[in-house]
Amino acid sequence: MSSNTPQQPTRDLRFFLTVPHACSYLEGREATTLFLDPQESPGQGVYDALALLGFRRSGRHLYRPHCEGCSACISVRIPVEEFASNRTQRRLMRRNDDLSLHLRPAIYDPEHYALYADYIRTRHADGDMFPPSHEQYRTFLTLDQPYARLLEFRLAGRLIAVAAFDQLEHGLSAIYTFFDPAPELERRSLGTHAVLCLVELARRRELPHLYLGYWIRECRKMAYKQTFQPLERLEGRRWQRLIPS
């Protein structure tokens, strides 16, 4: 089964385009988003096929950028079996050896929301998700589907991070990670640690890829994705090795 070809036909599905809006990543640019008809349930088979074409999930919506004259957003994934952690990443894993991990369904939890709200207010007060709200959180990160999961990170019982991810037929898809913004936890690099843990989870489940969403060369906030090597990018309908810049 080739991971470069969708396993389910998508030609009978309906898609829509948003009106142009301000780009969240590149200043002065406009963005347009292609999304699956909201009446279509993001079931496993359709999701598996669309993920291979660069689609992502936000709540019940499957989408991908479709911007006229711009192709800055590049879908990237880690080939799990080929991934080799570097010295910094290995040191980070040892530093976080004292954390306990717990898998949870992607359902609303007041403890999760409190951490999310604190994270958004502290780290992303200038972003699209500010101010946080219960409804925003529910529509973004909760979904009653068996493939949608949350990975908790706890320090002596204290919740300090949550990574939302999906399990696809051909890999795990990292959706979003939020964590305790307390200064004493900064050295744990919890966002990077979450990616490393998802790589290991995919390896244990014998899944070939971890999808990291979109990478934009000009966006400094996304530079961390290049620290995971090797990395593959989607070009057209084929996944090819991304050469580090």
Side-chain angles (χ1 to χ4, degrees):
M1 178 164 27
S2 169
S3 61
N4 283 326
T5 305
Q7 302 306 310
Q8 178 169 327
T10 57
R11 60 190 173 191
D12 295 329
L13 300 175
R14 292 202 306 167
F15 296 87
F16 298 93
L17 285 173
T18 64
V19 297
H21 52 277
C23 179
S24 300
Y25 301 106
L26 298 176
E27 189 175 353
R29 303 274 190 95
E30 283 194 334
T32 306
T33 304
L34 177 71
F35 63 96
L36 179 65
D37 184 348
Q39 299 303 313
E40 291 277 356
S41 174
Q44 185 77 64
V46 168
Y47 190 3
D48 286 334
L50 291 179
L52 286 172
L53 298 175
F55 279 76
R56 299 282 291 160
R57 181 179 70 81
S58 176
R60 292 184 52 81
H61 299 287
L62 297 179
Y63 71 94
R64 75 177 183 190
H66 192 82
C67 306
E68 184 176 356
C70 180
S71 56
C73 291
I74 298 171
S75 296
V76 292
R77 69 185 185 184
I78 300 171
V80 169
E81 287 305 317
E82 298 176 62
F83 173 74
S85 56
N86 59 35
R87 181 181 301 177
T88 299
Q89 291 164 344
R90 291 192 296 272
R91 187 183 305 121
L92 179 61
M93 291 296 285
R94 291 192 296 270
R95 187 177 299 156
N96 287 306
D97 269 346
D98 55 346
L99 302 185
S100 62
L101 278 60
H102 309 269
L103 280 171
R104 297 285 186 260
I107 60 176
Y108 179 81
D109 184 312
E111 186 182 23
H112 293 172
Y113 173 73
L115 181 64
Y116 169 84
D118 189 25
Y119 173 76
I120 295 298
R121 284 192 294 262
T122 304
R123 299 291 293 264
H124 296 287
D126 60 344
D128 296 341
M129 294 187 291
F130 182 84
S133 70
H134 292 271
E135 182 61 23
Q136 173 211 58
Y137 176 83
R138 288 177 187 273
T139 58
F140 178 30
L141 292 177
T142 67
L143 184 68
D144 185 19
Q145 288 282 351
Y147 57 73
R149 308 288 286 173
L150 301 174
L151 181 61
E152 294 180 345
F153 298 79
R154 293 183 179 271
L155 176 62
R158 168 189 169 192
L159 181 70
I160 63 170
V162 176
F165 72 95
D166 292 338
Q167 178 161 336
L168 308 175
E169 180 182 322
H170 42 78
L172 299 182
S173 178
I175 303 297
Y176 194 72
T177 297
F178 54 95
F179 49 83
D180 191 327
E184 67 270 18
L185 297 176
E186 285 186 8
R187 63 190 299 271
R188 292 181 177 272
S189 300
L190 291 167
T192 296
H193 181 63
V195 173
L196 294 170
C197 290
L198 290 177
V199 167
E200 183 55 34
L201 181 59
R203 184 175 284 138
R204 290 203 306 267
R205 294 185 176 184
E206 299 183 342
L207 296 168
H209 302 103
L210 173 63
Y211 292 81
L212 294 182
Y214 303 115
W215 170 72
I216 300 175
R217 190 180 302 274
E218 299 89 346
C219 183
R220 292 180 58 189
K221 291 182 179 180
M222 295 187 180
Y224 76 92
K225 297 185 181 184
Q226 282 199 94
T227 66
F228 300 96
Q229 293 294 327
L231 200 62
E232 295 178 347
R233 60 177 287 168
L234 181 62
E235 296 187 13
R237 293 194 170 207
R238 297 194 62 82
W239 291 88
Q240 300 182 18
R241 188 62 51 89
L242 174 66
I243 306 301
S245 58

